[in-house]
Structure formats: structure tokens, C-alpha cells
Amino acid sequence: MFINKGQFKPFEKKVWLASPTMHGEELEFIKDAYYTNWMSTVGENINEVERIAAQKAGVKYAVGLSCCTAALHLCCKLAGERLYGRPAIGHGSLEGKRVFCSDMTFDATLNPVVYEGGIPVFIDTDRSSWNMDPVALEKAFEMYPDVKLVVCAELYGFPGDIKKIKKICEEHGALLIEDAAEAMGATWEGKPCGSFGDYSAISYNGNKIITGSAGGCLLTNDIEVANRVRKWSTQAREAAPWYQHEEVGYNYRMSNVVAGVIRGQYPHLEEHIAQKKAIYERYKEGLKDLPVSMNPYDESKAVPNYWLSAMIIDEDAMCRQVRSDSQAMYIPENGKGCPTEILEAISSINAEGRPIWKPMHMQPMYRMHEVVGRNGSLRCRTNAYISGGVEDVGADIFQRGLCLPSDNKITPEQQDRIIEVIRSCFS
Ligand SMILES: *Cc1c(COP(=O)(O)O)cnc(C)c1O
């Protein structure tokens, strides 16, 4: 346990990892919905959110849904039916099919693959971007040439080479689902995240770069796709005077009240990104002489939205740390630190950090699933998880990395105190 011997004063109000930042316009649009009685899943707020979301992402159509997970689910259904045909009632459209998925991400990226009966095969992470490794993806296609679908997330708003991922997909006749939940407003080679996938999704979850308290959009350039998604998301009613159904439907449509919040947030997207960038730069500067580095990105190609600042500790500056499935222990050592120690230290001053997303292939539910690195399967290798010159990049980043308090409302003074606390871990 990190013992804060009164050395650092805790913040009176908790400093969050990332919390909603409201501006006032949201209330006006909620009121519009209320006073016009468009309190359901139809209305001007939804229309506007769809228009703005599509425009910002540089795609033709956005469909407003209850959350990004719902959007990803319908992405999977669209891809599954396009690739394999419509399944019999009660069966998933990806049933029994392998799907290549990002490994170091939130599980909502790939849960929808499983909803549709697919079998995630995890692709290891690129050390230089912390996103899906294109080299490992190539390797995976060598091993499983029949795979026709890839689900790729952009981590913490710092895009990797999603263009390369798309190209590899095309070379193998595979479709790409882009999970841009964390990357709204970020670009790769000038092109917005959310515009690379055959089907893409963005999120307005409470801790994302802008929020509606909930909500998400599916992004596409195909009007047929947008129409199908709207139909599926409102219980799949056919055009008839009564409730006529030819296929299974969902209750996934966005609420016009939620859309009001999102509509009020959109004008502040760029401002939020600028705040997040300043937070990232301040950590970078404040930690520059420590044996750590910030989440990496290719400065010549990626413009991140800087959603979460994260850092990774140099291998030789790591004190010993072990994690079970629910607990962590470490042995403090002079001049060294580890994520567990730093997270405890940050928490001792009433600020919130978080471990890196625990890679999916390390999750108990996926222990039997394949994970592919640059040199092939990581399941067959002994000691693959041990830090230091390893092939299992995801496990290594999880072991040595952590997310730092990145709330829009954090002040420079608060950040400086957090930086001091981190420094103390290495003293
Ligand atoms: C937040 C998040 C989601 C899910 O978004 P919801 O809108 O909460 O469903 C999916 N993927 C990633 C990578 C996320 O960070």
C-alpha cells in the first residue's frame, strides 16, 4: 500500500479520470424536446445529431442509437449478413465464424461479435501506437485465410495506422468495423476516425470526449445501410398498417432527450480536444526526466483527440508487481515504481487513475481463444507474458502502463500535484 505520510494534501473535490463537462446549451435542447413533447425516439435533436455526426466524421450517414455498443452490434449484423447471408431465426449472423479483433481495448469493442455468435481471435498490439498491430494482422490472415471480418478500435483517442489495417482487409477480401468510440475528432492522415470502417461506430458515453449521458452513432456511406439500421433499431417494423415483422428487431434508437445533450455538446468538441491536448502536454513535460513515456503516436500522421493521457514505465524502472484476476501486489523499491503503486499514490490524494485496458486474451472468458502476435500464436509460447523483450506486447503494456487523471476540468495546479505524487514513487 502506498502510504501518503501527509506529504501530499488530498484534493477536496475528487479529480476524475474523465467526467462529463457540460456547458449550458445542452439544457436548452433538452427543454426544446420537453416543451414540444418530442420526448421519445423521434425529433429535431436526433436529426441534428445525425447530421453533425456524419459531417464531422466525413461520412454520408450517421444513425443515432442508444449507445456505441448497440451501434457495434448492428455493425456486426450488417457485416455478418453481407458476408454469410441472413441467418435462421435464433441464430447469429457470425455463428461459428472467426473474427479478428483488437486485443487491448474495452470489451464493448468485441462483445457484439459474440452476440452474433462469432469467435474473436485477438490481434496483438503495436508498440509504437498501442493500437492493433498491422504486422500481427497479416500474420493472422496467413494462419486463418478464411476470416472475412476485422474489428479494430482506436485506443484512448490516439489512432494507429488504421489506413494500413483497412488496406490489409481489402487485400484479403475482409470487411472492417471501426470502433471509434474513444477517437471522435481524431484523424489519421487528415481523415477522421470513424470514416475508415466499412461500418463504424462512435460513442457519447458519460466519460467520452463529448457526451449525451449515453448514446452512439453508426456511421456509413451507404443509404441502404443507414435505412436498415434505423429499421432494426426500432423493432424492425415493416411498412404496414399493423405491426408486421419479417426479421428480428431491437430497441436501440437514440432518445431525443439524450440527443439534446449531444447537440449541445458538439459545438464544444474542439474545445474539449484542446483541453485534453494541454493535459497530455503538461504530463509529458512534468514527467520528462522520469523513466517513463506517454502514450505514443505517429506525429506525422495522427492527430489524436487526446481523450486519455496514459504513461508507461521503462522496463528497468519497474519495481516488482504481480496481479491475480482480482488483486495486485508490489514490492516498493528505491528509484523504481509500478502502475499499482502509482495508482494507489494518485488515489491517496483523491484523484482517479486506471490501469490500461486489460488485454482480452488475458481475460478469463477468452482464455481458450487464439491471440496472434507478429510471430504467430502467443498461446503456444511459454513466458509470453513476462515483461522484457516479450512478444506479447499487450500484456507488457498492461503490466507497465496506466491511465492518468484526464478530466477536462482538471486545473494546472491539480495536475502539478499529481505529477509530484508520481515523481515521489520513483524517489
Ligand atoms: C466506451 C467504449 C465503447 C462503448 O460505448 P457505449 O456508448 O458505452 O456503448 C466501445 N468501445 C470502446 C473502445 C469504448 O471505449
Side-chain angles (χ1 to χ4, degrees):
M1 253 261 320
F2 178 86
I3 300 174
N4 181 358
K5 305 188 191 85
Q7 195 183 353
F8 302 103
K9 212 168 131 258
F11 302 120
E12 265 164 42
K13 247 181 87 194
K14 183 159 181 166
V15 174
W16 299 99
L17 183 77
S19 74
T21 301
M22 293 295 125
H23 300 276
E25 290 106 304
E26 300 87 351
L27 257 183
E28 297 310 310
F29 292 121
I30 294 173
K31 275 193 211 154
D32 279 354
Y34 183 91
Y35 288 116
T36 57
N37 205 35
W38 290 107
M39 291 297 284
S40 178
T41 50
V42 184
E44 199 45 35
N45 288 336
I46 298 175
N47 300 344
E48 270 303 290
V49 165
E50 291 185 340
R51 187 186 64 77
I52 301 165
Q55 187 206 342
K56 294 249 182 207
V59 298
K60 288 199 185 129
Y61 308 101
V63 183
L65 299 170
S66 55
C67 62
C68 178
T69 310
L72 289 164
H73 184 190
L74 298 186
C75 288
C76 285
K77 247 182 97 90
L78 287 160
E81 295 200 358
R82 180 160 148 200
L83 292 166
Y84 307 114
R86 186 181 293 186
I89 299 284
H91 293 260
S93 62
L94 295 169
E95 209 151 280
K97 307 292 185 194
R98 289 192 180 90
V99 177
F100 294 149
C101 299
S102 287
D103 180 50
M104 203 170 77
T105 181
F106 187 37
D107 71 337
T109 301
L110 52 128
N111 276 339
V113 169
V114 179
Y115 303 163
E116 285 302 307
I119 304 167
V121 169
F122 300 109
I123 308 299
D124 199 11
T125 302
D126 180 355
R127 214 175 264 293
S128 69
S129 73
W130 292 13
N131 283 259
M132 182 186 278
D133 184 350
V135 181
L137 180 61
E138 293 266 28
K139 188 76 201 173
F141 273 116
E142 265 173 44
M143 293 166 65
Y144 301 101
D146 293 342
V147 169
K148 290 283 169 260
L149 182 60
V150 176
V151 183
C152 180
E154 280 123 348
L155 197 84
Y156 301 145
F158 293 75
D161 196 342
I162 184 76
K163 207 170 142 189
K164 182 85 180 281
I165 299 281
K166 175 73 180 143
K167 188 159 167 275
I168 295 170
C169 289
E170 280 163 4
E171 280 162 12
H172 294 271
L175 297 175
L176 174 66
I177 293 175
E178 181 188 6
D179 176 2
E182 301 175 0
M184 189 195 300
T187 60
W188 178 265
E189 291 186 6
K191 209 163 137 23
C193 293
S195 68
F196 291 92
D198 293 284
Y199 312 102
S200 306
I202 49 175
S203 173
Y204 309 103
N205 171 301
N207 70 4
K208 297 293 178 352
I209 190 92
I210 59 167
T211 183
S213 75
C217 277
L218 185 147
L219 306 173
T220 174
N221 284 315
D222 184 341
I223 188 148
E224 304 275 325
V225 165
N227 288 339
R228 286 199 85 188
V229 170
R230 274 196 195 97
K231 178 185 167 197
W232 279 344
S233 71
T234 50
Q235 307 289 19
R237 291 172 59 185
E238 301 301 327
W242 44 81
Y243 279 73
Q244 177 83 6
H245 299 288
E246 290 179 10
E247 54 183 341
V248 173
Y250 301 85
N251 183 6
Y252 278 176
R253 192 71 165 127
M254 179 180 280
S255 144
N256 194 48
V257 179
V258 164
V261 184
I262 300 167
R263 195 176 167 191
Q265 287 263 291
Y266 256 120
H268 299 277
L269 174 59
E270 278 74 28
E271 171 192 337
H272 285 196
I273 293 173
Q275 289 163 342
K276 296 277 191 183
K277 180 174 183 183
I279 293 166
Y280 179 89
E281 299 296 347
R282 194 169 193 89
Y283 279 128
K284 192 168 185 174
E285 179 63 24
L287 301 171
K288 72 171 183 223
D289 55 335
L290 289 183
V292 306
S293 42
M294 299 295 292
N295 29 356
Y297 66 97
D298 179 342
E299 291 181 28
S300 69
K301 293 183 173 157
V303 179
N305 70 6
Y306 302 90
W307 174 56
L308 284 190
S309 288
M311 57 171 259
I312 183 164
I313 301 166
D314 291 354
E315 246 170 76
D316 51 11
M318 276 283 291
C319 66
R320 278 180 290 169
Q321 164 190 262
V322 289
R323 285 163 164 163
S324 73
D325 273 347
S326 59
Q327 285 177 301
M329 296 264 287
Y330 67 94
I331 302 175
E333 207 177 322
N334 282 342
K336 296 188 175 186
C338 66
T340 306
E341 178 178 18
I342 294 170
L343 289 169
E344 283 181 3
I346 289 173
S347 150
S348 82
I349 59 163
N350 201 22
E352 183 188 32
R354 192 164 68 186
I356 298 294
W357 296 130
K358 182 172 178 173
M360 288 299 124
H361 78 276
M362 297 170 75
Q363 303 287 355
M365 75 174 285
Y366 293 123
R367 69 168 75 75
M368 303 303 282
H369 285 233
E370 181 66 281
V371 48
V372 180
R374 291 188 166 200
N375 298 311
S377 172
L378 295 175
R379 286 279 181 234
C380 315
R381 295 179 202 253
T382 51
N383 292 339
Y385 299 159
I386 296 169
S387 169
V390 280
E391 296 159 273
D392 189 336
V393 177
D396 184 37
I397 296 174
F398 176 63
Q399 173 75 359
R400 297 193 284 123
L402 67 141
C403 299
L404 298 166
S406 304
D407 196 65
N408 294 85
K409 297 168 294 307
I410 196 170
T411 64
E413 296 71 34
Q414 288 172 328
Q415 245 195 298
D416 289 345
R417 202 186 298 174
I418 290 163
I419 289 166
E420 276 313 302
V421 166
I422 296 170
R423 303 187 73 85
S424 78
C425 294
F426 290 95
S427 63

